[in-house]
Amino acid sequence: MRNYLKHYINGEWVESTGNETEDVINPATEEVIGTISLGTKEDLDKAVQAARDAFPSFSQTSKEERIKMLENIAAEYENRKEEIIETITEELGSPKSISENVHYMMGYNHFSQAAESLRDFSFIEDRGGHTVMKDSVGVSGLITPWNFPTNQISTKIASAFAAGSPVVAKPAELTPFAAIILTEIFDKVGVPKGAFNLVNGSGSVIGDGISSHPDIDFVSFTGSGAVGQKIMQNASERIANVALELGGKSPLVVLEDADVEKAARAAVSHIATNSGQVCSAATRVLVPSSMKDSFEEAVKKVLPEFPVGDPQGDNHIGPLVSKKQWDTVQSYIEKGQEEGATLLVGGTGKPEGLDKGYYAKPTVFTDVNNDMVIAQEEIFGPVTCLITYDTIEEAIEISNDVKYGLAGYVFGEDEQTLAKVASSIRAGRVKINDAEADFAAPFGGYKQSGIGREWGDYGIEEYLEVKTVLGYPKL
Ligand code: NDP
């Protein structure tokens, strides 16, 4: 049992001022695996005060000191590798291979990339007639969701630290333990007192408290659009800046000359990895009408490569994070059938033999029209839609006919067509074929997928204010 009943404020683990607690459930076993304290507004005020007190010195640390701190964090993170993998598997239900190759790896890369990006980062620029300086934004409030317990919080903290911004963080109640390990890492490597504060608690108390706190200068949030809107409203009361990463309904465009099996494998992999609980997952697969039959066959052929089952075993798809998320996914599968889409594979209910745990069947709908609810709303589970198109122009139009714009994917050979589709998709990140991940590349969305960019130097910019000085001495 992991019982973490303290918050981390001003460089110390401290008792909560309240006595409410919340059990954390392993979604694969439905058993309680630990408990956290639900913080109060008083806990939050103390954390914000600690961050404020740390601001004058933390914001003035040198670039070299911050690089060293980020490198030390990355090194200590590596030392805790096995524990991080085990923890994420338990709290999220993510299969061990995904916990290692996706979750652990992303956290590590954000800290090491921030150190790397900082090396070439200029905080002062002589632009001839004027000088531009980049100052820490102040105190940052970070609110993160459950689907990537190390990724989102790590990219936010790494960028904030690189910019010299002290942090107050609130992870999701459903998966709070990875953030506690991170906090232990910061404590061990000697992150300055008050520069990092962790207050566990509910979204309605601590999350809302962060977004409306008069002493928090900048709020970075990842999660649902509905909460993103509330955060923006709260922050607008004091004209505080926000960065929002709010999910998507991303297209994967299969071109006529694509390798059908490779594209089908990618399409299934998008809803299989992390059980489809991925904001940038492709969940609308656009296939040329002429390829419909061969693509459907390829989907059925590759599906067994993604077994569903116990995350402690050799499976690719674990359970969904919670009963609530399982219910949501079920209702979307029902909705798709009511709307007249055809179930190619999967459907409602649990996969055979998996009665315990929040397991859902990987589900592929075909004969989907882009106007259907299942093609427009983020399902956040192992469900995708096959939509046919006849011309490249139509594929582009369908790709963009959605309120989101986080990501897009294109599969094919002809470079002119790949470039045309990639540059026409209205989204913050487009991936062509199997292009490699790059942690220096900015991440964020167009339209209702959010505001701002994370990762690498663009991520650091979010935590900075720009100051112009006219007549600055030529030192
Ligand atoms: P939420 O947006 O509710 O939760 C995300 C984070 O925000 C959590 O830490 C949560 O706290 C916190 N939060 C909740 N309410 C408030 C509030 N009023 N003010 C400030 N913070 C708050 O997402 P859900 O977990 O409810 O998931 C619902 C849907 O959102 C998913 O099905 C998916 O579609 C989408 N989503 C998108 C994500 C993305 O990566 N863009 C990530 C997660 C979800 P707590 O949960 O501890 O109360």
Side-chain angles (χ1 to χ4, degrees), residues 143-147 152 170-173 201-204 207-208 211 221-224 227 230-231 245-247 279 324-325 378-380:
I143 306 167
T144 52
W146 44 264
N147 61 328
Q152 292 123 339
K170 186 210 98 64
E173 283 158 89
S202 70
S204 56
D208 183 76
S211 63
F221 167 77
T222 302
S224 63
V227 173
K230 281 189 200 159
I231 286 171
E245 200 273 88
L246 307 176
C279 49
K324 182 175 158 225
Q325 197 63 24
E378 185 174 53
I379 298 175
F380 234 56

PDB file of all heavy atoms in Angstrom, residues 143-147 152 170-173 201-204 207-208 211 221-224 227 230-231 245-247 279 324-325 378-380, ligand 1:
ATOM      1  N   ILE A 143      -1.592  21.991 -13.552  1.00  0.00           N
ATOM      2  CA  ILE A 143      -2.676  21.038 -13.288  1.00  0.00           C
ATOM      3  C   ILE A 143      -2.600  19.958 -14.373  1.00  0.00           C
ATOM      4  O   ILE A 143      -2.663  20.275 -15.566  1.00  0.00           O
ATOM      5  CB  ILE A 143      -4.051  21.738 -13.332  1.00  0.00           C
ATOM      6  CG1 ILE A 143      -4.068  22.949 -12.380  1.00  0.00           C
ATOM      7  CG2 ILE A 143      -5.174  20.755 -12.985  1.00  0.00           C
ATOM      8  CD1 ILE A 143      -5.261  23.879 -12.569  1.00  0.00           C
ATOM      9  N   THR A 144      -2.452  18.717 -13.946  1.00  0.00           N
ATOM     10  CA  THR A 144      -2.217  17.665 -14.943  1.00  0.00           C
ATOM     11  C   THR A 144      -3.230  16.514 -14.807  1.00  0.00           C
ATOM     12  O   THR A 144      -3.763  16.276 -13.732  1.00  0.00           O
ATOM     13  CB  THR A 144      -0.778  17.115 -14.828  1.00  0.00           C
ATOM     14  OG1 THR A 144      -0.531  16.746 -13.476  1.00  0.00           O
ATOM     15  CG2 THR A 144       0.239  18.139 -15.269  1.00  0.00           C
ATOM     16  N   PRO A 145      -3.460  15.806 -15.909  1.00  0.00           N
ATOM     17  CA  PRO A 145      -4.449  14.722 -15.916  1.00  0.00           C
ATOM     18  C   PRO A 145      -3.814  13.364 -15.621  1.00  0.00           C
ATOM     19  O   PRO A 145      -2.605  13.279 -15.361  1.00  0.00           O
ATOM     20  CB  PRO A 145      -4.972  14.775 -17.338  1.00  0.00           C
ATOM     21  CG  PRO A 145      -3.782  15.158 -18.147  1.00  0.00           C
ATOM     22  CD  PRO A 145      -2.933  16.039 -17.272  1.00  0.00           C
ATOM     23  N   TRP A 146      -4.634  12.328 -15.718  1.00  0.00           N
ATOM     24  CA  TRP A 146      -4.219  10.983 -15.310  1.00  0.00           C
ATOM     25  C   TRP A 146      -3.629  10.138 -16.432  1.00  0.00           C
ATOM     26  O   TRP A 146      -3.035   9.104 -16.171  1.00  0.00           O
ATOM     27  CB  TRP A 146      -5.442  10.246 -14.734  1.00  0.00           C
ATOM     28  CG  TRP A 146      -6.678  10.462 -15.574  1.00  0.00           C
ATOM     29  CD1 TRP A 146      -7.650  11.399 -15.354  1.00  0.00           C
ATOM     30  CD2 TRP A 146      -7.048   9.786 -16.785  1.00  0.00           C
ATOM     31  NE1 TRP A 146      -8.609  11.345 -16.352  1.00  0.00           N
ATOM     32  CE2 TRP A 146      -8.267  10.363 -17.235  1.00  0.00           C
ATOM     33  CE3 TRP A 146      -6.475   8.734 -17.528  1.00  0.00           C
ATOM     34  CZ2 TRP A 146      -8.913   9.929 -18.398  1.00  0.00           C
ATOM     35  CZ3 TRP A 146      -7.118   8.321 -18.684  1.00  0.00           C
ATOM     36  CH2 TRP A 146      -8.323   8.906 -19.104  1.00  0.00           C
ATOM     37  N   ASN A 147      -3.808  10.555 -17.685  1.00  0.00           N
ATOM     38  CA  ASN A 147      -3.485   9.603 -18.765  1.00  0.00           C
ATOM     39  C   ASN A 147      -1.994   9.429 -19.023  1.00  0.00           C
ATOM     40  O   ASN A 147      -1.564   8.407 -19.560  1.00  0.00           O
ATOM     41  CB  ASN A 147      -4.237   9.972 -20.050  1.00  0.00           C
ATOM     42  CG  ASN A 147      -3.882  11.347 -20.567  1.00  0.00           C
ATOM     43  OD1 ASN A 147      -3.579  12.250 -19.784  1.00  0.00           O
ATOM     44  ND2 ASN A 147      -3.936  11.529 -21.865  1.00  0.00           N
ATOM     45  N   GLN A 152       3.101  14.742 -18.871  1.00  0.00           N
ATOM     46  CA  GLN A 152       2.633  16.140 -18.857  1.00  0.00           C
ATOM     47  C   GLN A 152       3.252  16.940 -17.718  1.00  0.00           C
ATOM     48  O   GLN A 152       3.662  18.088 -17.892  1.00  0.00           O
ATOM     49  CB  GLN A 152       1.103  16.177 -18.751  1.00  0.00           C
ATOM     50  CG  GLN A 152       0.422  15.648 -19.991  1.00  0.00           C
ATOM     51  CD  GLN A 152      -0.502  14.494 -19.663  1.00  0.00           C
ATOM     52  OE1 GLN A 152      -0.357  13.844 -18.639  1.00  0.00           O
ATOM     53  NE2 GLN A 152      -1.453  14.222 -20.532  1.00  0.00           N
ATOM     54  N   LYS A 170      -0.467  20.256  -9.136  1.00  0.00           N
ATOM     55  CA  LYS A 170      -1.531  19.361  -8.675  1.00  0.00           C
ATOM     56  C   LYS A 170      -1.752  18.265  -9.722  1.00  0.00           C
ATOM     57  O   LYS A 170      -2.320  18.503 -10.787  1.00  0.00           O
ATOM     58  CB  LYS A 170      -2.852  20.116  -8.492  1.00  0.00           C
ATOM     59  CG  LYS A 170      -3.925  19.223  -7.880  1.00  0.00           C
ATOM     60  CD  LYS A 170      -5.341  19.582  -8.306  1.00  0.00           C
ATOM     61  CE  LYS A 170      -5.902  18.746  -9.425  1.00  0.00           C
ATOM     62  NZ  LYS A 170      -6.086  17.312  -9.163  1.00  0.00           N
ATOM     63  N   PRO A 171      -1.319  17.043  -9.419  1.00  0.00           N
ATOM     64  CA  PRO A 171      -1.595  15.953 -10.361  1.00  0.00           C
ATOM     65  C   PRO A 171      -3.029  15.448 -10.207  1.00  0.00           C
ATOM     66  O   PRO A 171      -3.724  15.841  -9.271  1.00  0.00           O
ATOM     67  CB  PRO A 171      -0.590  14.868  -9.952  1.00  0.00           C
ATOM     68  CG  PRO A 171      -0.215  15.171  -8.556  1.00  0.00           C
ATOM     69  CD  PRO A 171      -0.536  16.619  -8.270  1.00  0.00           C
ATOM     70  N   ALA A 172      -3.477  14.581 -11.104  1.00  0.00           N
ATOM     71  CA  ALA A 172      -4.841  14.033 -11.018  1.00  0.00           C
ATOM     72  C   ALA A 172      -4.930  13.066  -9.838  1.00  0.00           C
ATOM     73  O   ALA A 172      -3.997  12.296  -9.581  1.00  0.00           O
ATOM     74  CB  ALA A 172      -5.186  13.320 -12.314  1.00  0.00           C
ATOM     75  N   GLU A 173      -6.073  13.098  -9.169  1.00  0.00           N
ATOM     76  CA  GLU A 173      -6.297  12.181  -8.037  1.00  0.00           C
ATOM     77  C   GLU A 173      -6.206  10.714  -8.451  1.00  0.00           C
ATOM     78  O   GLU A 173      -5.863   9.868  -7.640  1.00  0.00           O
ATOM     79  CB  GLU A 173      -7.723  12.367  -7.516  1.00  0.00           C
ATOM     80  CG  GLU A 173      -7.961  13.565  -6.668  1.00  0.00           C
ATOM     81  CD  GLU A 173      -9.452  13.869  -6.709  1.00  0.00           C
ATOM     82  OE1 GLU A 173     -10.179  13.328  -5.872  1.00  0.00           O
ATOM     83  OE2 GLU A 173      -9.879  14.634  -7.579  1.00  0.00           O
ATOM     84  N   GLY A 201      -4.952  16.817  -4.360  1.00  0.00           N
ATOM     85  CA  GLY A 201      -6.324  17.208  -4.043  1.00  0.00           C
ATOM     86  C   GLY A 201      -7.223  17.160  -5.246  1.00  0.00           C
ATOM     87  O   GLY A 201      -6.800  16.763  -6.340  1.00  0.00           O
ATOM     88  N   SER A 202      -8.445  17.581  -5.025  1.00  0.00           N
ATOM     89  CA  SER A 202      -9.439  17.487  -6.097  1.00  0.00           C
ATOM     90  C   SER A 202      -9.305  18.662  -7.061  1.00  0.00           C
ATOM     91  O   SER A 202      -8.783  19.728  -6.708  1.00  0.00           O
ATOM     92  CB  SER A 202     -10.837  17.497  -5.483  1.00  0.00           C
ATOM     93  OG  SER A 202     -11.098  18.776  -4.964  1.00  0.00           O
ATOM     94  N   GLY A 203      -9.840  18.446  -8.251  1.00  0.00           N
ATOM     95  CA  GLY A 203      -9.860  19.524  -9.235  1.00  0.00           C
ATOM     96  C   GLY A 203     -10.706  20.682  -8.757  1.00  0.00           C
ATOM     97  O   GLY A 203     -10.347  21.850  -8.950  1.00  0.00           O
ATOM     98  N   SER A 204     -11.823  20.355  -8.096  1.00  0.00           N
ATOM     99  CA  SER A 204     -12.744  21.427  -7.714  1.00  0.00           C
ATOM    100  C   SER A 204     -12.184  22.300  -6.593  1.00  0.00           C
ATOM    101  O   SER A 204     -12.572  23.466  -6.471  1.00  0.00           O
ATOM    102  CB  SER A 204     -14.096  20.842  -7.310  1.00  0.00           C
ATOM    103  OG  SER A 204     -13.901  19.902  -6.276  1.00  0.00           O
ATOM    104  N   GLY A 207      -7.417  22.407  -7.969  1.00  0.00           N
ATOM    105  CA  GLY A 207      -7.333  22.847  -9.369  1.00  0.00           C
ATOM    106  C   GLY A 207      -7.961  24.223  -9.533  1.00  0.00           C
ATOM    107  O   GLY A 207      -7.358  25.149 -10.086  1.00  0.00           O
ATOM    108  N   ASP A 208      -9.184  24.341  -9.037  1.00  0.00           N
ATOM    109  CA  ASP A 208      -9.883  25.624  -9.130  1.00  0.00           C
ATOM    110  C   ASP A 208      -9.115  26.709  -8.352  1.00  0.00           C
ATOM    111  O   ASP A 208      -9.002  27.852  -8.810  1.00  0.00           O
ATOM    112  CB  ASP A 208     -11.305  25.464  -8.566  1.00  0.00           C
ATOM    113  CG  ASP A 208     -12.114  26.727  -8.700  1.00  0.00           C
ATOM    114  OD1 ASP A 208     -12.563  27.007  -9.825  1.00  0.00           O
ATOM    115  OD2 ASP A 208     -12.267  27.443  -7.688  1.00  0.00           O
ATOM    116  N   SER A 211      -6.194  27.962 -10.448  1.00  0.00           N
ATOM    117  CA  SER A 211      -6.534  28.828 -11.590  1.00  0.00           C
ATOM    118  C   SER A 211      -7.062  30.191 -11.132  1.00  0.00           C
ATOM    119  O   SER A 211      -6.998  31.160 -11.884  1.00  0.00           O
ATOM    120  CB  SER A 211      -7.532  28.137 -12.515  1.00  0.00           C
ATOM    121  OG  SER A 211      -8.745  27.890 -11.856  1.00  0.00           O
ATOM    122  N   PHE A 221      -2.288  23.883 -18.001  1.00  0.00           N
ATOM    123  CA  PHE A 221      -3.266  22.823 -17.742  1.00  0.00           C
ATOM    124  C   PHE A 221      -3.301  21.852 -18.906  1.00  0.00           C
ATOM    125  O   PHE A 221      -3.237  22.249 -20.072  1.00  0.00           O
ATOM    126  CB  PHE A 221      -4.650  23.469 -17.565  1.00  0.00           C
ATOM    127  CG  PHE A 221      -5.789  22.481 -17.592  1.00  0.00           C
ATOM    128  CD1 PHE A 221      -6.061  21.681 -16.484  1.00  0.00           C
ATOM    129  CD2 PHE A 221      -6.591  22.332 -18.727  1.00  0.00           C
ATOM    130  CE1 PHE A 221      -7.116  20.772 -16.509  1.00  0.00           C
ATOM    131  CE2 PHE A 221      -7.652  21.428 -18.751  1.00  0.00           C
ATOM    132  CZ  PHE A 221      -7.916  20.648 -17.639  1.00  0.00           C
ATOM    133  N   THR A 222      -3.437  20.582 -18.597  1.00  0.00           N
ATOM    134  CA  THR A 222      -3.748  19.569 -19.608  1.00  0.00           C
ATOM    135  C   THR A 222      -4.967  18.807 -19.119  1.00  0.00           C
ATOM    136  O   THR A 222      -5.007  18.381 -17.952  1.00  0.00           O
ATOM    137  CB  THR A 222      -2.568  18.597 -19.828  1.00  0.00           C
ATOM    138  OG1 THR A 222      -1.425  19.353 -20.224  1.00  0.00           O
ATOM    139  CG2 THR A 222      -2.887  17.570 -20.909  1.00  0.00           C
ATOM    140  N   GLY A 223      -5.949  18.621 -19.987  1.00  0.00           N
ATOM    141  CA  GLY A 223      -7.149  17.884 -19.598  1.00  0.00           C
ATOM    142  C   GLY A 223      -8.295  18.161 -20.542  1.00  0.00           C
ATOM    143  O   GLY A 223      -8.094  18.425 -21.737  1.00  0.00           O
ATOM    144  N   SER A 224      -9.511  18.153 -19.996  1.00  0.00           N
ATOM    145  CA  SER A 224     -10.698  18.284 -20.844  1.00  0.00           C
ATOM    146  C   SER A 224     -10.956  19.745 -21.232  1.00  0.00           C
ATOM    147  O   SER A 224     -10.552  20.681 -20.521  1.00  0.00           O
ATOM    148  CB  SER A 224     -11.915  17.756 -20.083  1.00  0.00           C
ATOM    149  OG  SER A 224     -12.143  18.540 -18.936  1.00  0.00           O
ATOM    150  N   VAL A 227     -12.980  21.806 -18.500  1.00  0.00           N
ATOM    151  CA  VAL A 227     -12.183  22.362 -17.395  1.00  0.00           C
ATOM    152  C   VAL A 227     -11.248  23.454 -17.933  1.00  0.00           C
ATOM    153  O   VAL A 227     -11.053  24.485 -17.283  1.00  0.00           O
ATOM    154  CB  VAL A 227     -11.418  21.248 -16.641  1.00  0.00           C
ATOM    155  CG1 VAL A 227     -10.460  21.849 -15.626  1.00  0.00           C
ATOM    156  CG2 VAL A 227     -12.395  20.302 -15.948  1.00  0.00           C
ATOM    157  N   LYS A 230     -13.031  26.683 -17.838  1.00  0.00           N
ATOM    158  CA  LYS A 230     -13.166  27.250 -16.487  1.00  0.00           C
ATOM    159  C   LYS A 230     -11.850  27.903 -16.065  1.00  0.00           C
ATOM    160  O   LYS A 230     -11.831  28.967 -15.442  1.00  0.00           O
ATOM    161  CB  LYS A 230     -13.485  26.139 -15.476  1.00  0.00           C
ATOM    162  CG  LYS A 230     -14.919  25.720 -15.493  1.00  0.00           C
ATOM    163  CD  LYS A 230     -15.178  24.795 -14.311  1.00  0.00           C
ATOM    164  CE  LYS A 230     -16.426  23.985 -14.553  1.00  0.00           C
ATOM    165  NZ  LYS A 230     -16.523  22.778 -13.774  1.00  0.00           N
ATOM    166  N   ILE A 231     -10.750  27.223 -16.400  1.00  0.00           N
ATOM    167  CA  ILE A 231      -9.440  27.755 -16.010  1.00  0.00           C
ATOM    168  C   ILE A 231      -9.189  29.108 -16.674  1.00  0.00           C
ATOM    169  O   ILE A 231      -8.739  30.066 -16.039  1.00  0.00           O
ATOM    170  CB  ILE A 231      -8.350  26.713 -16.335  1.00  0.00           C
ATOM    171  CG1 ILE A 231      -8.455  25.606 -15.291  1.00  0.00           C
ATOM    172  CG2 ILE A 231      -6.948  27.326 -16.392  1.00  0.00           C
ATOM    173  CD1 ILE A 231      -7.645  24.405 -15.534  1.00  0.00           C
ATOM    174  N   GLU A 245      -3.765  22.418 -22.912  1.00  0.00           N
ATOM    175  CA  GLU A 245      -3.628  21.307 -23.857  1.00  0.00           C
ATOM    176  C   GLU A 245      -4.855  20.436 -23.647  1.00  0.00           C
ATOM    177  O   GLU A 245      -5.003  19.800 -22.617  1.00  0.00           O
ATOM    178  CB  GLU A 245      -2.306  20.581 -23.569  1.00  0.00           C
ATOM    179  CG  GLU A 245      -1.830  19.763 -24.731  1.00  0.00           C
ATOM    180  CD  GLU A 245      -2.418  18.386 -24.739  1.00  0.00           C
ATOM    181  OE1 GLU A 245      -3.516  18.208 -25.303  1.00  0.00           O
ATOM    182  OE2 GLU A 245      -1.785  17.487 -24.162  1.00  0.00           O
ATOM    183  N   LEU A 246      -5.781  20.444 -24.653  1.00  0.00           N
ATOM    184  CA  LEU A 246      -7.142  19.976 -24.392  1.00  0.00           C
ATOM    185  C   LEU A 246      -7.628  18.814 -25.252  1.00  0.00           C
ATOM    186  O   LEU A 246      -8.832  18.606 -25.385  1.00  0.00           O
ATOM    187  CB  LEU A 246      -8.108  21.158 -24.565  1.00  0.00           C
ATOM    188  CG  LEU A 246      -7.779  22.413 -23.762  1.00  0.00           C
ATOM    189  CD1 LEU A 246      -8.738  23.533 -24.098  1.00  0.00           C
ATOM    190  CD2 LEU A 246      -7.805  22.130 -22.269  1.00  0.00           C
ATOM    191  N   GLY A 247      -6.737  18.076 -25.822  1.00  0.00           N
ATOM    192  CA  GLY A 247      -7.192  16.882 -26.519  1.00  0.00           C
ATOM    193  C   GLY A 247      -7.510  17.085 -27.977  1.00  0.00           C
ATOM    194  O   GLY A 247      -7.286  18.163 -28.533  1.00  0.00           O
ATOM    195  N   CYS A 279      -4.308  12.119 -25.949  1.00  0.00           N
ATOM    196  CA  CYS A 279      -4.917  13.294 -26.570  1.00  0.00           C
ATOM    197  C   CYS A 279      -4.581  13.406 -28.047  1.00  0.00           C
ATOM    198  O   CYS A 279      -5.390  13.871 -28.836  1.00  0.00           O
ATOM    199  CB  CYS A 279      -4.455  14.553 -25.836  1.00  0.00           C
ATOM    200  SG  CYS A 279      -2.684  14.611 -25.612  1.00  0.00           S
ATOM    201  N   LYS A 324     -15.589   5.135 -14.471  1.00  0.00           N
ATOM    202  CA  LYS A 324     -16.222   6.273 -15.152  1.00  0.00           C
ATOM    203  C   LYS A 324     -15.766   6.329 -16.626  1.00  0.00           C
ATOM    204  O   LYS A 324     -16.577   6.515 -17.531  1.00  0.00           O
ATOM    205  CB  LYS A 324     -15.847   7.571 -14.412  1.00  0.00           C
ATOM    206  CG  LYS A 324     -16.466   8.808 -14.976  1.00  0.00           C
ATOM    207  CD  LYS A 324     -16.145  10.031 -14.108  1.00  0.00           C
ATOM    208  CE  LYS A 324     -16.295  11.301 -14.913  1.00  0.00           C
ATOM    209  NZ  LYS A 324     -15.229  12.245 -14.735  1.00  0.00           N
ATOM    210  N   GLN A 325     -14.471   6.148 -16.844  1.00  0.00           N
ATOM    211  CA  GLN A 325     -13.953   6.208 -18.210  1.00  0.00           C
ATOM    212  C   GLN A 325     -14.481   5.022 -19.022  1.00  0.00           C
ATOM    213  O   GLN A 325     -14.809   5.154 -20.201  1.00  0.00           O
ATOM    214  CB  GLN A 325     -12.413   6.231 -18.182  1.00  0.00           C
ATOM    215  CG  GLN A 325     -11.766   6.692 -19.481  1.00  0.00           C
ATOM    216  CD  GLN A 325     -12.116   8.134 -19.837  1.00  0.00           C
ATOM    217  OE1 GLN A 325     -12.461   8.942 -18.980  1.00  0.00           O
ATOM    218  NE2 GLN A 325     -12.051   8.462 -21.112  1.00  0.00           N
ATOM    219  N   GLU A 378     -14.171  13.501 -28.630  1.00  0.00           N
ATOM    220  CA  GLU A 378     -13.032  12.729 -28.129  1.00  0.00           C
ATOM    221  C   GLU A 378     -13.566  11.593 -27.245  1.00  0.00           C
ATOM    222  O   GLU A 378     -14.222  11.846 -26.235  1.00  0.00           O
ATOM    223  CB  GLU A 378     -12.131  13.659 -27.310  1.00  0.00           C
ATOM    224  CG  GLU A 378     -10.860  12.979 -26.846  1.00  0.00           C
ATOM    225  CD  GLU A 378      -9.904  13.941 -26.148  1.00  0.00           C
ATOM    226  OE1 GLU A 378     -10.336  14.634 -25.210  1.00  0.00           O
ATOM    227  OE2 GLU A 378      -8.729  13.989 -26.551  1.00  0.00           O
ATOM    228  N   ILE A 379     -13.309  10.351 -27.629  1.00  0.00           N
ATOM    229  CA  ILE A 379     -13.842   9.203 -26.874  1.00  0.00           C
ATOM    230  C   ILE A 379     -12.879   8.798 -25.761  1.00  0.00           C
ATOM    231  O   ILE A 379     -13.275   8.401 -24.689  1.00  0.00           O
ATOM    232  CB  ILE A 379     -14.140   8.024 -27.842  1.00  0.00           C
ATOM    233  CG1 ILE A 379     -15.218   8.462 -28.862  1.00  0.00           C
ATOM    234  CG2 ILE A 379     -14.580   6.779 -27.051  1.00  0.00           C
ATOM    235  CD1 ILE A 379     -15.535   7.453 -29.939  1.00  0.00           C
ATOM    236  N   PHE A 380     -11.584   8.910 -26.026  1.00  0.00           N
ATOM    237  CA  PHE A 380     -10.544   8.606 -25.036  1.00  0.00           C
ATOM    238  C   PHE A 380     -10.627   7.154 -24.573  1.00  0.00           C
ATOM    239  O   PHE A 380     -10.711   6.846 -23.372  1.00  0.00           O
ATOM    240  CB  PHE A 380     -10.670   9.545 -23.835  1.00  0.00           C
ATOM    241  CG  PHE A 380      -9.383  10.267 -23.529  1.00  0.00           C
ATOM    242  CD1 PHE A 380      -8.743  11.033 -24.490  1.00  0.00           C
ATOM    243  CD2 PHE A 380      -8.802  10.193 -22.263  1.00  0.00           C
ATOM    244  CE1 PHE A 380      -7.566  11.711 -24.210  1.00  0.00           C
ATOM    245  CE2 PHE A 380      -7.606  10.859 -21.970  1.00  0.00           C
ATOM    246  CZ  PHE A 380      -7.003  11.621 -22.949  1.00  0.00           C
TER     247      PHE A 380
HETATM  248  P1  NDP B   1     -10.450  16.771 -16.311  1.00  0.00           P
HETATM  249  O1  NDP B   1     -10.222  17.864 -17.274  1.00  0.00           O
HETATM  250  O2  NDP B   1     -11.605  16.859 -15.384  1.00  0.00           O
HETATM  251  O3  NDP B   1      -9.159  16.550 -15.376  1.00  0.00           O
HETATM  252  C1  NDP B   1      -7.861  16.983 -15.669  1.00  0.00           C
HETATM  253  C2  NDP B   1      -7.223  17.638 -14.449  1.00  0.00           C
HETATM  254  O4  NDP B   1      -7.979  18.810 -14.107  1.00  0.00           O
HETATM  255  C3  NDP B   1      -7.233  16.770 -13.195  1.00  0.00           C
HETATM  256  O5  NDP B   1      -6.083  17.050 -12.421  1.00  0.00           O
HETATM  257  C4  NDP B   1      -8.466  17.254 -12.469  1.00  0.00           C
HETATM  258  O6  NDP B   1      -8.450  16.995 -11.074  1.00  0.00           O
HETATM  259  C5  NDP B   1      -8.389  18.748 -12.742  1.00  0.00           C
HETATM  260  N1  NDP B   1      -9.668  19.461 -12.588  1.00  0.00           N
HETATM  261  C6  NDP B   1     -10.925  18.965 -12.560  1.00  0.00           C
HETATM  262  N2  NDP B   1     -11.813  19.954 -12.359  1.00  0.00           N
HETATM  263  C7  NDP B   1     -11.116  21.111 -12.261  1.00  0.00           C
HETATM  264  C8  NDP B   1     -11.466  22.481 -12.054  1.00  0.00           C
HETATM  265  N3  NDP B   1     -12.723  22.875 -11.930  1.00  0.00           N
HETATM  266  N4  NDP B   1     -10.477  23.390 -12.009  1.00  0.00           N
HETATM  267  C9  NDP B   1      -9.193  23.034 -12.165  1.00  0.00           C
HETATM  268  N5  NDP B   1      -8.793  21.748 -12.334  1.00  0.00           N
HETATM  269  C10 NDP B   1      -9.740  20.804 -12.393  1.00  0.00           C
HETATM  270  O7  NDP B   1     -10.528  15.430 -17.153  1.00  0.00           O
HETATM  271  P2  NDP B   1     -11.228  14.041 -16.731  1.00  0.00           P
HETATM  272  O8  NDP B   1     -10.271  13.294 -15.922  1.00  0.00           O
HETATM  273  O9  NDP B   1     -12.586  14.258 -16.155  1.00  0.00           O
HETATM  274  O10 NDP B   1     -11.412  13.360 -18.169  1.00  0.00           O
HETATM  275  C11 NDP B   1     -12.552  13.681 -18.953  1.00  0.00           C
HETATM  276  C12 NDP B   1     -12.192  13.753 -20.422  1.00  0.00           C
HETATM  277  O11 NDP B   1     -11.240  14.778 -20.633  1.00  0.00           O
HETATM  278  C13 NDP B   1     -11.521  12.506 -20.991  1.00  0.00           C
HETATM  279  O12 NDP B   1     -12.454  11.533 -21.350  1.00  0.00           O
HETATM  280  C14 NDP B   1     -10.800  13.076 -22.172  1.00  0.00           C
HETATM  281  O13 NDP B   1     -11.683  13.214 -23.260  1.00  0.00           O
HETATM  282  C15 NDP B   1     -10.385  14.449 -21.710  1.00  0.00           C
HETATM  283  N6  NDP B   1      -8.969  14.461 -21.234  1.00  0.00           N
HETATM  284  C16 NDP B   1      -8.022  14.983 -22.062  1.00  0.00           C
HETATM  285  C17 NDP B   1      -6.704  14.910 -21.686  1.00  0.00           C
HETATM  286  C18 NDP B   1      -5.630  15.452 -22.561  1.00  0.00           C
HETATM  287  O14 NDP B   1      -4.537  14.907 -22.557  1.00  0.00           O
HETATM  288  N7  NDP B   1      -5.850  16.540 -23.244  1.00  0.00           N
HETATM  289  C19 NDP B   1      -6.286  14.275 -20.445  1.00  0.00           C
HETATM  290  C20 NDP B   1      -7.362  13.800 -19.615  1.00  0.00           C
HETATM  291  C21 NDP B   1      -8.657  13.893 -20.020  1.00  0.00           C
HETATM  292  P3  NDP B   1      -9.047  15.660 -10.421  1.00  0.00           P
HETATM  293  O15 NDP B   1      -9.338  14.709 -11.532  1.00  0.00           O
HETATM  294  O16 NDP B   1      -7.977  15.200  -9.512  1.00  0.00           O
HETATM  295  O17 NDP B   1     -10.277  16.084  -9.700  1.00  0.00           O
END
